[in-house]
Amino acid sequence: MFDCDVLVIGGGIIGLSTAYALTRAAPGTRVTVLEKEPGPARHQTGRNSGVIHSGIYYRPGSLKARFAVRGAAEMVKFCAEYGLPHEVTGKLIVATERAELPRLHALVQRGRENGIPVRELGPAQISAYEPHVRGLAAIHVGTTGICDYGAVAARLAEVAGAAGAEVRYGAEVTAVDRRPWGVAVRTAGGDVVRARVLVNCAGLHCDAVARLAGDEPSMRIVPFRGEYYELERPELVRGLVYPVPDPAFPFLGVHLTRGIDGGVHVGPNAVPALAREGYGWPVVRPRELAGTVAWPGAWRIARRHWRYGAGELRRSLSKRAFTASVRRLLPEAAAADLRPAPAGVRAQAVLRDGTLVDDFLFHEAPRTVHVLNAPSPAATASLPIGREVARRALARMER
C-alpha cells in the first residue's frame, strides 16, 4: 500500500538532514525525498555565506540557541569525518558607535549563558585580529567557522542514499491527499507517492505545502532578499567581522565573511523579495507577491519598521549607501572594491499580527510534520534539527 514510510518534501539541508537522521535512528525505515530542483541545496542552503554560527545571538533556552551551539560542533565533526572543506576561524563582533556598547555587553552575557567562550577586546586588540577593521570595542567568538553547505547537503543525500533513502530530483509536489491511513502526494510529472507520514521541509514554500496538506498555518513566509558583494581586495579581511545587531530584527546587518574559497563576501542587506525565489528586482511572480501583500502581518511589519526598511532599500538601490555601511567596519573599502555577487532569499515566517517568528517553528498534524520557520542559523543547526524532525515523524508513524 505504501511506497515509503516517511516522505520528505524539500531537498535543502533540513530535508536531507531529516532523511539522514531517519536512516540512522530507525534503520530499515523507507525514506523518500522529493525535491523540485535538479539537484540539492539550490535555494537557502546554497545561497548563504557559509558561516557555522556559534549561537551567541539567540535567546538562552530557545531552540535556536540549543541547536546552534550543538549543531556548530556537530557540523565541524561531520565535515571532518567526510573530508568536506571547513575551518574554525572565530569571528569579531564590532561596535563602531557608543550607542552599541550596551548591546555588545549584552551579547557577552548571552554568549556566556549559552556556554560559548567570548573574549572582550579594545581597539588595539581589534587591530591585532583584523588590522584594517576599526571599532570602539569588540568581542571575539572562537567557535564560529565556515564551510560549504551545498557540499554538506550533497554528502547528506549521498550517505542517506547509501543507507536506503531515495532522493528524487525534478519532482515538484502539486497535490497532497491526507487520509487516516497515510498521505498520497502527486508530483508535476504525474507520479503518485504514498507514505505513512509526510514531512514538510519545503523552506520558501513550506506554508504553501502545509495548505496543500489541509493545514492552515498561523504564519506566512515573507521572503527577504539578501544582496551580497564580493570584496575585490580580500587581503583587507582575515576572517569574519560582524556589526552589533539590532535585537528587534532577525537580520545581522552587513558583515564581512571570508569564505572557504578564500574570497570575502560583503553583506547581506535585507529587502522584500517580489517572489519566493526572487533573487533580483526583475524577478516578480504576481501570485506569490499577491499572497504576501494579502497577509495582514506583512503590512504590520511595513508600518512598524518602515524606517529600517527604507534604509535597507536605499542600500539595495545605491552602491554608495551600501559602501557607507561597509566603511563603518572597514574604512579603507571603496565602491570600486565591491563587485556584485549572487543573492539569497530568507524564508521568514511572519505571524498575522506582524511578529517576525524568532525561533525555529515546527507544527504537527495527523500523519504530518511541518517545518515552518528555519532560516539562519538553520544550516548550522541542521543536524540537530534533522534529528528533532525525525523523532517527531517516527512518533507520528507509530500512531
Side-chain angles (χ1 to χ4, degrees):
M1 183 176 181
F2 297 109
D3 300 295
C4 60
D5 296 311
V6 181
L7 176 61
V8 180
I9 299 177
I13 200 167
I14 300 301
L16 293 170
S17 178
T18 298
Y20 169 80
L22 284 164
T23 61
R24 292 168 68 88
T29 301
R30 296 173 300 160
V31 180
T32 297
V33 180
L34 300 182
E35 166 56 45
K36 70 183 180 67
E37 301 295 351
R42 297 300 172 93
H43 295 289
Q44 289 185 106
T45 301
R47 288 176 168 267
N48 59 51
S49 53
V51 175
I52 302 174
H53 288 284
S54 65
I56 191 171
Y57 300 111
Y58 314 116
R59 177 174 49 81
S62 66
L63 292 175
K64 277 189 175 181
R66 292 190 286 116
F67 286 0
V69 172
R70 193 181 311 156
E74 291 183 17
M75 185 57 64
V76 170
K77 183 178 178 182
F78 183 90
C79 289
E81 181 179 354
Y82 289 102
L84 301 177
H86 69 288
E87 185 178 353
V88 180
T89 58
K91 78 171 177 183
L92 296 184
I93 303 174
V94 181
T96 58
E97 300 175 359
R98 290 195 177 278
E100 296 173 336
L101 294 176
R103 301 208 308 263
L104 187 70
H105 182 69
L107 278 180
V108 172
Q109 297 302 114
R110 176 162 285 191
R112 288 172 178 162
E113 287 182 61
N114 287 336
I116 299 165
V118 178
R119 183 186 176 198
E120 298 181 72
L121 307 176
Q125 294 165 307
I126 293 173
S127 296
Y129 282 99
E130 293 283 354
H132 301 281
V133 171
R134 297 292 178 268
L136 300 177
I139 57 179
H140 181 259
V141 187
T143 54
T144 304
I146 52 174
C147 69
D148 180 346
Y149 285 120
V152 171
R155 185 54 59 91
L156 286 167
E158 180 183 315
V159 176
E166 179 187 12
V167 183
R168 299 187 193 177
Y169 298 113
E172 181 177 3
V173 171
T174 57
V176 178
D177 183 15
R178 187 169 60 196
R179 300 293 179 87
W181 49 262
V183 181
V185 166
R186 184 181 297 276
T187 70
D191 295 329
V192 174
V193 184
R194 296 172 180 85
R196 298 172 66 186
V197 172
L198 174 71
V199 174
N200 170 14
C201 297
L204 286 158
H205 304 278
C206 65
D207 55 341
V209 169
R211 292 196 299 277
L212 280 179
D215 296 318
E216 180 52 48
S218 58
M219 44 62 71
R220 288 292 185 274
I221 291 297
V222 174
F224 288 90
R225 185 171 61 255
E227 297 162 330
Y228 289 92
Y229 285 89
E230 190 88 10
L231 192 62
E232 291 278 12
R233 291 190 289 162
E235 66 274 11
L236 294 179
V237 179
R238 289 180 175 177
L240 312 181
V241 184
Y242 282 65
V244 180
D246 185 335
F249 303 98
F251 313 111
L252 299 179
V254 172
H255 47 270
L256 311 165
T257 308
R258 177 173 286 277
I260 205 69
D261 60 356
V264 175
H265 271 88
V266 184
N269 60 355
V271 295
L274 305 182
R276 297 290 177 108
E277 296 164 16
Y279 297 113
W281 284 114
V283 182
V284 182
R285 293 182 179 165
R287 180 175 293 182
E288 293 178 359
L289 179 58
T292 298
V293 171
W295 183 241
W299 288 100
R300 288 175 176 136
I301 291 173
R303 285 197 297 269
R304 194 176 301 157
H305 301 304
W306 67 269
R307 284 189 178 86
Y308 180 90
E312 294 294 290
L313 184 61
R314 182 166 174 264
R315 280 186 282 274
S316 173
L317 299 176
S318 167
K319 188 176 182 182
R320 178 180 296 180
F322 193 100
T323 305
S325 294
V326 178
R327 286 174 58 84
R328 291 180 58 201
L329 294 170
L330 191 68
E332 294 177 47
D337 293 322
L338 304 178
R339 67 172 183 269
V345 175
R346 176 190 181 103
Q348 177 62 52
V350 178
L351 303 182
R352 181 174 288 274
D353 66 0
T355 301
L356 298 167
V357 178
D358 67 352
D359 206 354
F360 300 138
L361 179 63
F362 309 108
H363 176 73
E364 296 184 50
R367 298 288 177 180
T368 313
V369 179
H370 301 289
V371 180
L372 296 178
N373 194 58
S376 181
T380 297
S382 55
L383 293 171
I385 291 175
R387 285 198 303 274
E388 174 65 17
V389 177
R391 180 188 68 78
R392 293 175 183 236
L394 291 170
R396 287 277 152 190
M397 198 166 69
E398 293 170 0
R399 293 179 185 179

